[in-house]
Amino acid sequence: MLASENFPTHHFKESIFKPYSTSGDDLASPLTAAASAAALVATTSSSADTASAVAFETASKMLTANGSSSNNNNITDPKDDLSSFVASHPAAHFEGFIRACVDEIIKLAVFQGTNRSSKVVEWHEPAELRQLFDFQLREKGESQDKLRELLRETIRFSVKTGHPYFINQLYSGVDPYALVGQWLTDALNPSVYTYEVAPLFTLMEEQVLAEMRRIVGFPNGGQGDGIFCPGGSIANGYAISCARYRHSPESKKSGLFNAKPLIIFTSEDAHYSVEKLAMFMGFGSEHVRKIATNEVGKMRLSDLEDQVKLCLDNNWQPLMVSATAGTTVLGAFDDLNGISELCKKYNMWMHVDAAWGGGALMSKKYRHLLSGIERADSVTWNPHKLLAASQQCSTFLTRHQQVLAQCHSTNATYLFQKDKFYDTSFDTGDKHIQCGRRADVFKFWFMWKAKGTQGLEAHVEKVFRMAEFFAAKVRERPGFELVLESPECTNISFWYVPPGLRQMERNREFYDRLHKVAPKVKEGMIKKGSMMITYQPLRQLPNFFRLVLQNSCLEESDMVYFLDEIESLAQNL
């Protein structure tokens, strides 16, 4: 039995629209709705006031203008193809189509697409893919069968990022609770800017963000503020914005004009978003100073202080330090306590980009990696990375309770009216730079409710355990060499030296040839569909592989598989 067969029928006397048929076989057309409305008005004319009559007349004209003409091809029998139905509303006869599509997604994407026996990707060059897939947009809509075919083909030709052997980026996996949570918010389609349109999600955000601040270790049980952001890059941008406002509140009106140059400091291994958002916000890339890192990828505090002193000597203003807790490539954690001391000494805002490594805070065993993060002014933490929530799920957290609202609010009276009938402090949207905003909180909250903090801790410790196992295997296996002997996070960087190169002297020719190994192996695995692992150079180092783990379904046998597959693909290089 379809759910729609149990729908109650509601009758609203004030409505001019005929309710949908409870049989699910018919949908009132605009003409029928208008006729029904006319009859309703006629029978209640003695009690209807002038405003109701005007409303009916206006609605009738709108309905006539939007499709009552007999030669309008968009309005047809709803039992015909769904492509003829133009209203964006799930009428009862859509239920079978929706269920069929969801079943396809569950079967092909959620389960088959994450099965170890299936391919991570079915690879095609762009020109070939244009021939294989129907990208064309047409005047007439497509049939249900065609749409379901396109759905299947979209899954077929897409990268299965939930596949256990997708270890290519800082996200992976398909968490079932997060998936259900994301589907629900897509169905509800909320925008989280005022309490009146998103009451549950507004309170849910406050609860989740408060608990995250408590886990970070902000004072008084996690006091402060926070927001969900469209990615860690934007969260880092919020840090720059808040730091600028705290240093120069007048900049909200006057901008950066006629002001002393403000300087941002970050690691040379930091995420590119620090520089990119600084450019976007008008600072300019020259006002972002890249601090040298040591042999394990941590920011050198001596170089940081030298750069700060140089700025002061030039009458520039040191504004903030963006430290990194889990760098993108090497997974290094900066010395947050040492950076905090320098920020205090030179009155700089301390931000910690823990987008990647923040998940370690959930583990009593590994949270020491972020020692000192509780001293930060702000933190970026992305649950869609190490905690494996669905994309996107990014947060910006700060110890300062009012800075977000003070910095970004414009008090738009068409949305943030102060004379509403409820406590408008729950209208949180004005402290964001966005207006419309997804309810990214729910998928993470739903995961957290399902697993508990202990479950998230177990997840983190599992992926760290697999990373440690993998690193140990690299150390003992001929031809494999670690870039860092003791990686801190769950990204493991390593080279594979094929047999044909092992007897060579380690000179320029050797490194030039080694540099070409990873790209060729990557090409082989992509075309085969066997796995996806990224590679990159780093300063003077030739290309190396970077395995990234955050999928807790991985086992020791998978770690061996990764090494075996790389070795197999490189045997003739």
Side-chain angles (χ1 to χ4, degrees):
M1 177 182 292
L2 296 178
S4 56
E5 294 177 17
N6 291 323
F7 287 169
T9 304
H10 298 283
H11 299 282
F12 299 102
K13 292 183 179 180
E14 296 79 8
S15 175
I16 65 168
F17 296 98
K18 177 184 175 182
Y20 294 161
S21 167
T22 55
S23 68
D25 294 329
D26 187 36
L27 176 67
S29 69
L31 273 175
T32 307
S36 176
L40 177 63
V41 171
T43 57
T44 58
S45 58
S46 59
S47 61
D49 57 19
T50 303
S52 298
V54 171
F56 165 72
E57 183 179 356
T58 302
S60 297
K61 289 178 179 179
M62 291 175 64
L63 289 169
T64 301
N66 284 312
S68 64
S69 174
S70 59
N71 61 3
N72 189 324
N73 294 326
N74 285 329
I75 302 300
T76 62
D77 188 331
K79 289 181 287 187
D80 291 345
D81 193 84
L82 288 182
S83 63
S84 63
F85 186 68
V86 296
S88 295
H89 184 80
H93 62 269
F94 270 98
E95 186 175 345
F97 174 70
I98 294 172
R99 286 184 181 277
C101 290
V102 171
D103 285 345
E104 297 274 22
I105 295 169
I106 292 173
K107 175 185 175 182
L108 299 177
V110 177
F111 288 103
Q112 184 176 308
T114 61
N115 191 296
R116 284 171 173 80
S117 64
S118 63
K119 290 185 175 184
V120 177
V121 60
E122 180 182 323
W123 178 259
H124 299 278
E125 295 294 336
E128 183 184 11
L129 191 55
R130 284 195 176 97
Q131 297 299 315
L132 291 170
F133 189 86
D134 182 6
F135 290 98
Q136 190 66 39
L137 299 174
R138 300 178 176 86
E139 289 294 322
K140 288 191 64 177
E142 306 285 2
S143 68
Q144 288 187 64
D145 288 342
K146 175 66 173 179
L147 293 172
R148 288 178 61 183
E149 177 191 349
L150 290 169
L151 192 74
R152 289 190 294 269
E153 294 293 275
T154 299
I155 297 170
R156 173 188 169 189
F157 295 123
S158 292
V159 176
K160 312 306 185 295
T161 64
H163 196 290
Y165 298 159
F166 178 84
I167 47 174
N168 202 69
Q169 253 75 46
L170 304 183
Y171 66 91
S172 179
V174 178
D175 185 275
Y177 303 111
L179 178 65
V180 170
Q182 183 138 297
W183 280 355
L184 175 61
T185 52
D186 280 351
L188 292 174
N189 196 30
S191 187
V192 190
Y193 40 51
T194 62
Y195 179 83
E196 65 181 289
V197 297
L200 196 73
F201 299 123
T202 299
L203 298 181
M204 194 176 288
E205 281 193 343
E206 290 206 354
Q207 182 69 36
V208 170
L209 293 167
E211 183 63 12
M212 293 178 78
R213 291 194 303 271
R214 187 193 67 78
I215 291 170
V216 165
F218 286 155
N220 301 320
Q223 78 173 22
D225 202 356
I227 52 179
F228 277 79
C229 307
S233 294
I234 302 301
N236 288 338
Y238 274 109
I240 297 171
S241 180
C242 290
R244 177 176 62 184
Y245 179 83
R246 187 134 186 271
H247 177 264
S248 304
E250 69 279 1
S251 66
K252 183 175 180 178
K253 291 184 177 180
S254 60
L256 297 173
F257 301 106
N258 301 317
K260 185 184 295 187
L262 302 175
I263 308 300
I264 300 164
F265 304 91
T266 195
S267 157
E268 63 179 334
D269 288 352
H271 193 264
Y272 66 80
S273 60
V274 177
E275 181 178 8
K276 183 168 286 193
L277 267 294
M279 293 188 297
F280 180 78
M281 297 170 65
F283 285 79
S285 60
E286 290 187 356
H287 292 92
V288 179
R289 294 305 174 95
K290 304 289 184 66
I291 306 304
T293 55
N294 63 16
E295 64 280 358
V296 294
K298 298 177 184 287
M299 191 187 300
R300 292 184 184 272
L301 299 188
S302 58
D303 187 45
L304 173 59
E305 186 160 26
D306 287 345
Q307 292 280 355
V308 171
K309 290 178 178 177
L310 180 63
C311 289
L312 292 171
D313 290 343
N314 284 279
N315 198 31
W316 299 334
Q317 178 62 52
L319 178 66
M320 66 175 288
V321 177
S322 181
T324 309
T327 57
T328 304
V329 177
L330 296 178
F333 290 79
D334 286 336
D335 178 358
L336 302 182
N337 283 305
I339 291 171
S340 173
E341 290 299 320
L342 289 176
C343 286
K344 182 178 179 181
K345 180 177 180 179
Y346 294 103
N347 193 29
M348 296 181 290
W349 181 281
M350 178 183 173
H351 176 64
V352 178
D353 178 2
W356 171 225
L361 290 167
M362 305 299 289
S363 166
K364 290 183 285 291
K365 182 177 181 180
Y366 293 100
R367 68 168 292 126
H368 69 88
L369 294 169
L370 298 99
S371 176
I373 194 171
E374 71 281 356
R375 304 171 69 175
D377 291 286
S378 59
V379 172
T380 292
W381 180 1
N382 288 6
H384 74 235
K385 292 191 174 177
L386 196 53
L387 296 181
S390 300
Q391 289 267 30
Q392 64 195 22
C393 192
S394 304
T395 64
F396 172 78
L397 311 169
T398 176
R399 66 170 56 234
H400 305 287
Q401 289 181 289
Q402 301 300 322
V403 69
L404 279 165
Q406 293 170 347
C407 181
H408 302 118
S409 63
T410 58
N411 299 305
T413 55
Y414 54 81
L415 190 58
F416 304 113
Q417 305 93 333
K418 301 303 182 185
D419 55 354
K420 292 180 179 179
F421 60 93
Y422 60 86
D423 183 354
T424 56
S425 67
F426 292 101
D427 288 355
T428 57
D430 209 16
K431 63 187 177 184
H432 293 258
I433 58 173
Q434 294 171 266
C435 182
R437 192 167 57 84
R438 292 172 57 89
D440 288 324
V441 62
F442 184 71
K443 56 197 162 197
F444 184 44
W445 177 88
F446 203 55
M447 278 179 63
W448 206 333
K449 288 288 280 187
K451 301 180 179 186
T453 303
Q454 290 181 347
L456 295 178
E457 179 178 31
H459 163 85
V460 169
E461 295 189 355
K462 172 70 179 296
V463 294
F464 268 93
R465 189 162 66 250
M466 288 302 101
E468 291 159 2
F469 176 86
F470 184 85
K473 286 296 178 184
V474 170
R475 292 188 193 97
E476 68 185 35
R477 190 150 175 164
F480 289 89
E481 300 180 15
L482 288 168
V483 175
L484 292 182
E485 186 59 29
S486 299
E488 286 188 293
C489 201
T490 66
N491 29 348
I492 310 299
S493 298
F494 61 97
W495 290 284
Y496 177 66
V497 183
L501 300 184
R502 293 178 197 172
Q503 303 306 315
M504 288 185 63
E505 181 183 352
R506 298 290 176 103
N507 54 22
R508 178 63 180 270
E509 181 185 359
F510 169 83
Y511 290 113
D512 285 346
R513 292 179 65 178
L514 181 62
H515 188 70
K516 299 174 183 177
V517 170
K520 292 300 294 182
V521 172
K522 179 67 176 282
E523 178 185 356
M525 69 178 67
I526 292 291
K527 290 181 175 178
K528 184 179 176 182
S530 58
M531 60 187 278
M532 283 185 71
I533 181 172
T534 192
Y535 69 86
Q536 64 281 304
L538 184 65
R539 291 182 287 281
Q540 304 304 314
L541 298 177
N543 281 324
F544 52 85
F545 294 104
R546 181 192 60 175
L547 173 122
V548 187
L549 298 179
Q550 63 274 314
N551 189 335
S552 54
C553 82
L554 291 167
E555 303 293 344
E556 292 181 357
S557 58
D558 298 312
M559 303 301 108
V560 175
Y561 168 82
F562 297 146
L563 296 173
D564 287 344
E565 186 67 8
I566 290 171
E567 195 170 53
S568 174
L569 291 167
Q571 61 183 343
N572 295 321
L573 297 179

